[in-house]
Amino acid sequence: MTVLLLVPLVLPFLAPMPARGTLSRLVPATALWVLTASALALAGACVAALGSLVLIGLLKFPVFATLGELVHPLRSPSDLLVLPAAAVATGVLTLSAWTVVRAVFRQTRDFRTARRQADSRPAAGDLCVVDSPHPDAYALPGRPHRIVVTTAMLRSLGPAEREALFAHERAHNQAGHHYHLAAAELAAHCHPALRAVRDAIRLAAERAADESAATAVGDRRLVATAIARAALAGHDSHSARPGFAPAATTGPVPRRVTALLEPVAVRSRAARWTAFLLVACTVLSVAAGTVGVVDFHHEVEVAQGEESR
């Protein structure tokens, strides 16, 4: 039981490498869904395993066994491993919960500020122009969706480049990329190894919007130029946008520009093996965690006298 619960804590360390490969070998929109689902599943299995370890440790003490209506404290053949693991799991869960709460408050505050600023400006359709000396542009979720762009950013781009930038941000809102970014941020707080997967999800969201913008304007070079110039303009600027609000200037811009300027690659079946490795890692983690939790539940029923061995 205890060994199985350790598997979801170890397997996420194997995820970053296939996550990066998945992004480079699948269509960006498909890669985004695969990466987000894998990150959430790995994070969920990790939290479930940590929670089970904490409960196992607590139920070994008579006072908690009584509260859990156990006839006797929980027994396991690996007490030397369980109690230290439960102590560590308690600390990790407490730290993760604290960072999640702090991040939620910060992101909520930034979102309300950005939304209030956008709603106070006249909008042309979904476009909202903010008078600011700092070049910035981003997709703001909510009702209604907004494309927020500063006057400094507009001055940095030509008319055609502005349209390409707007198409990029509009693609973010239409595809709901803010949900993927929020999920990636949540997963990153559940396990440190998932921070690299979060970065891959952010890049996948930008690449998906890049491709949508290129299709909308019909000129991949124009989109690449617009992104490069917008990134250069906003390089040293401070942005007050919330972290889950996607923007064309985020991520490794040179890599995105290179992908737009290169011919669209033909992805073979063999190239999808990297994505398969990520999915296999995720399935194994979830399966091991599920079996461990079910086994733990069985042990609790035995200790409650509801079931005999």
Side-chain angles (χ1 to χ4, degrees), residues 232-259:
L232 287 174
H235 178 66
D236 295 325
S237 297
H238 170 72
S239 176
R241 63 176 177 264
F244 58 83
T249 57
T250 58
V253 174
R255 180 176 173 183
R256 292 167 53 202
V257 170
T258 300

Side-chain angles (χ1 to χ4, degrees), residues 124-142:
D126 61 350
L127 180 63
C128 176
V129 179
V130 176
D131 187 13
S132 173
H134 303 292
D136 195 17
Y138 57 92
L140 184 63

Side-chain angles (χ1 to χ4, degrees), residues 190-260:
C190 296
H191 197 288
L194 296 179
R195 295 171 187 170
V197 181
R198 174 188 60 188
D199 295 339
I201 291 174
R202 288 174 175 173
L203 178 54
E206 295 305 323
R207 284 286 300 115
D210 290 343
E211 295 297 331
S212 294
T215 301
V217 303
D219 190 339
R220 299 178 67 84
R221 181 172 293 275
L222 175 60
V223 176
T225 302
I227 290 171
R229 294 191 63 179
L232 287 174
H235 178 66
D236 295 325
S237 297
H238 170 72
S239 176
R241 63 176 177 264
F244 58 83
T249 57
T250 58
V253 174
R255 180 176 173 183
R256 292 167 53 202
V257 170
T258 300
L260 283 167

Side-chain angles (χ1 to χ4, degrees), residues 71-85:
V71 176
H72 54 76
L74 196 65
R75 298 168 185 169
S76 66
S78 53
D79 287 353
L80 294 179
L81 174 64
V82 168
L83 293 179

Side-chain angles (χ1 to χ4, degrees), residues 1 292-302:
M1 172 177 63
V293 170
V294 170
D295 193 16
F296 163 60
H297 183 263
H298 173 74
E299 294 293 335
V300 170
E301 288 184 333
V302 171

